[in-house]
Amino acid sequence: MKTFVTIISSLFLVFSSGVCTSTLLFQGFNWESSNKQGGWYNALLKVVPDIASAGVTHVWLPPPSHSVAPQGYLPGRLYDVDASKYGNGGELKTLIKALHEKGIKAVADIVINHRTAEKQDSRGIYCIFEGGTPDDRLDWGPSYICKDDVQYSDGKGNPDSGDPYQPAPDIDHLNPRVQKELSDWLNWLKTDIGFDGWRFDFVKGYSPSITKIYMDKTAPDFAVGELWNSLAYGQDGKPEWNQDKHRNELAQWVQSGGGAVTAFDFTTKGILQAAVQGELWRLKGSDGRPPGLIGILPQNAVTFIDNHDTGSTQKSWPFPADKVLLGYAYILTHPGIPSLFYDHYFDWGLKDEISKLSAIRARNGITSTSKVEILAADADLYVAKIDDKIITKIGPKMDLGNLIPPNFQVSASGNDYAVWEKQA
């Protein structure tokens, strides 16, 4: 416990106040977006006003560069934004300009753990990289691959500082040229393309100290990392009640990454999607606070219901489809930095309900560090008061006893959820 008291107190000192306290993130794509007729950037451009109407402050866009896989997660020529399956560089700039005109920041999906090569070397192995410019920026050879990635490396690089990634060469981020040229590329995405922040893909692939280097060299308006580790599961196949180890790994990564970067709160997602299936007692930790990362480091926790991996057509870890609004009722009224998913907002027809919840959040000044008082956490009922301004109820139980004071009035409700606001 002492370790994480130190983490939390130090991060409160390091973290720049105001950066994320009122941030609302929106994932502006899914796994199939690269297949959109007419281009995804053009399609998203048409709905920017709808996104803005929900109070969104940042839109997470897909990987912007040339990629062997259409979704963008096997990037090659990083400077070549015209080869993206989502659209060309001009269309991307137009989209970002439209977002900026609505006061919304653009977040780029940054895939730098691994990279696909353009050519084969004398061994017949694809390990000669092309940056996508006439000069030699990001033009690397096999010595820029981690030495323990024996499928591609020539053994001259440094050992991998994180987990291996099988589908493509693991880049040696301990190499000074790699650090400089990737930082230059990131800053080019800011100055030339218009991006404001980063979503770091597969951060378990390299040391968090590497993330800190890129954060320091690029100073993003907002940044979030994808550290996706498995929860602890019991013999019944369900998550264990205590997931402190899982959330502590996220907190440790944030601290080692310098304290300004945020992390997707996979702990909260895993607990929440189990809790809404008749086990709402899970939403109160042993310390009486929320059990996810939002319970110990809320200003660095990005909460979400699903993304292009967990949901969409991949469905690798989906939230129960009939409980999605319960999930949003939770994350949009609780601390942390909530993230909305394109599919839920547009394709599932939940725009009005989600917008109503986000409006309640904004109207009451609920922030990433708002205070939660859990009033009930039983199998069929969860009730929490946030900042003494709103009360959220999740679960089928209708008899709330005296939990809701008479000066609180219902502002939003649906199947098995309701939110009350305090009246003046």
Side-chain angles (χ1 to χ4, degrees), residues 340-367:
L340 313 179
F341 187 31
Y342 179 94
D343 291 23
H344 298 149
Y345 193 74
F346 288 111
D347 296 345
W348 291 32
L350 302 179
K351 181 175 73 170
D352 291 345
E353 291 91 337
I354 291 173
S355 294
K356 186 178 287 189
L357 291 166
S358 68
I360 292 171
R361 183 181 186 86
R363 196 159 57 234
N364 291 276
I366 305 302
T367 71

Side-chain angles (χ1 to χ4, degrees), residues 65 75-80 111-112 115-118 127-141 144 171 173 176-186 188-189 214:
S65 305
R77 303 188 302 272
L78 293 180
Y79 277 100
D80 187 357
V111 187
I112 52 175
R115 193 176 166 202
T116 56
E118 191 86 1
C127 59
I128 307 297
F129 301 92
E130 165 59 49
T133 65
D135 57 33
D136 68 349
R137 283 175 293 170
L138 299 174
D139 295 355
W140 304 333
Y144 292 82
I171 298 303
H173 287 275
R177 181 182 170 187
V178 168
Q179 293 177 11
K180 180 185 185 306
E181 294 192 356
L182 284 178
S183 297
D184 289 346
W185 171 67
L186 289 168
W188 175 83
L189 287 178
Y214 296 127

Side-chain angles (χ1 to χ4, degrees), residues 1-14 247-256 259 293 296-297 299-300:
M1 180 58 73
K2 180 183 176 184
T3 303
F4 285 93
V5 169
T6 305
I7 286 177
I8 293 164
S9 59
S10 64
L11 282 170
F12 265 108
L13 293 173
V14 171
R247 71 176 180 178
N248 288 347
E249 287 172 353
L250 291 173
Q252 184 67 60
W253 180 85
V254 167
Q255 185 191 44
S256 300
L293 184 60
I296 57 171
L297 206 59
Q299 74 273 30
N300 293 77

